[in-house]
Amino acid sequence: MHRSASRFTRVLACAAVPVILTVAGCSSDSGKGSGSDGAKKSTASSPAKPSGKASAALEKAAFASLPDPCKSIATATVDSLVPEAKDKNGTATKSNDLTTRASCSWNGLDEDGLKGSQYRWLSISLVRYDSHASLGSANKRAEDQYNKQVETAKATEGAHDVKVEAAGGIGDQGSSVVFGVKKDVDFFNTTIVARTQNVVVTLDYNGAAYEGAGAPDQAKLLQDAIVAAKEVVASVGTANQQQKQPEQQASPSPQ
């Protein structure tokens, strides 16, 4: 009996070991495992990880301002395109923010006695865009506006014989839209739409003949309009370069 009892005691002791290990294992896991109060507290105290992919940073707008549209082309260009202009300084359109939207126009009637008269009208419009988190990059917004302006010119009320062509060498994108409009006389219209980075330039140039004068040469109108548009695009770059120079001068030099 004594030997049997001793053997039975040893069996119970051996059987109890896995139980103790299992309990200890569960107790150890409870400090690490998910779903425990300790795990919840640890998760709450740790910084939250960002979900999803981080949105790409929008590019900074290349141009921060616009030139004075009435000074965006040379006086000699105005004299050439609009002889006898009523105001050679141009007429600026009012704007709430001249850094984002500005325009200027000229018109004049060049009378030549019995040879009749030639009328010319020139308009320059500039629109600038900034990058915006919900609207997109400055250049993409300008590109969308560029396309809209081309379509608007094509859809001019009363336009006939509309011809659209690419106009190379004017900024990053350029198009010419040529058409005629019948009013009291035939008006010959040329619209140049150009984009330079985040700025869209729209130049409208038209002419008409009165009192027996010969009709304007459409090819000449187009050529002159392209020359003027190139000046306007160049003035955008110049105006922003001039703005940077005072800022650079004001900045303290590195020690």
Side-chain angles (χ1 to χ4, degrees), residues 204-222:
D204 292 304
Y205 183 46
N206 65 55
Y210 290 92
E211 300 169 348
D217 183 338
Q218 281 188 301
K220 181 69 164 56
L221 290 177
L222 175 58

Side-chain angles (χ1 to χ4, degrees), residues 24 70 106 244:
C70 295
W106 299 259
K244 287 181 181 179

Side-chain angles (χ1 to χ4, degrees), residues 7-249:
R7 187 181 305 156
F8 182 69
T9 302
R10 287 199 300 271
V11 169
L12 288 177
C14 291
V17 171
V19 175
I20 295 170
L21 291 175
T22 303
V23 173
C26 292
S27 176
S28 175
D29 287 345
S30 67
K32 300 178 183 178
S34 59
S36 67
D37 292 339
K40 289 180 181 178
K41 291 178 181 178
S42 176
T43 303
S45 61
S46 62
K49 295 182 179 179
S51 60
K53 295 182 179 179
S55 57
L58 290 174
E59 64 186 6
K60 183 179 179 181
F63 300 125
S65 63
L66 294 174
D68 181 341
C70 295
K71 297 179 181 178
S72 61
I73 57 175
T75 302
T77 305
V78 174
D79 290 339
S80 176
L81 271 63
V82 190
E84 302 300 325
K86 290 181 179 179
D87 185 354
K88 292 186 179 183
N89 293 321
T91 302
T93 302
K94 292 182 179 180
S95 172
N96 293 329
D97 185 358
L98 292 174
T99 66
T100 58
R101 188 178 297 271
S103 60
C104 188
S105 63
W106 299 259
N107 69 86
L109 183 65
D110 185 12
E111 299 176 301
D112 194 9
L114 297 176
K115 294 182 180 180
S117 304
Q118 291 284 348
Y119 175 79
R120 296 290 184 273
W121 183 79
L122 172 66
S123 173
I124 294 170
S125 173
L126 302 102
V127 183
R128 187 187 66 82
Y129 291 91
D130 285 315
S131 292
H132 192 283
S134 61
L135 300 176
S137 72
N139 281 14
K140 182 58 171 64
R141 295 177 68 196
E143 185 176 353
D144 291 342
Q145 177 65 13
Y146 165 85
N147 292 325
K148 288 179 183 178
Q149 286 296 94
V150 172
E151 293 302 314
T152 298
K154 288 165 58 178
T156 299
E157 185 177 357
H160 60 80
D161 300 321
V162 179
K163 186 177 181 180
V164 183
E165 291 183 341
I170 312 177
D172 299 298
Q173 288 179 285
S175 293
S176 66
V177 185
V178 177
F179 55 92
V181 175
K182 182 69 175 179
K183 297 182 180 179
D184 51 338
V185 295
D186 286 321
F187 273 76
F188 297 91
N189 295 263
T190 297
T191 297
I192 304 295
V193 183
R195 179 181 70 84
T196 174
Q197 299 278 16
N198 57 312
V199 174
V200 178
V201 174
T202 304
L203 184 145
D204 292 304
Y205 183 46
N206 65 55
Y210 290 92
E211 300 169 348
D217 183 338
Q218 281 188 301
K220 181 69 164 56
L221 290 177
L222 175 58
Q223 180 182 358
D224 289 344
I226 289 175
V227 169
K230 288 181 177 179
E231 284 190 36
V232 178
V233 168
S235 74
V236 174
T238 301
N240 281 271
Q241 188 61 36
Q242 291 174 342
Q243 183 185 38
K244 287 181 181 179
Q245 288 175 350
E247 293 177 356
Q248 292 172 350
Q249 292 173 357

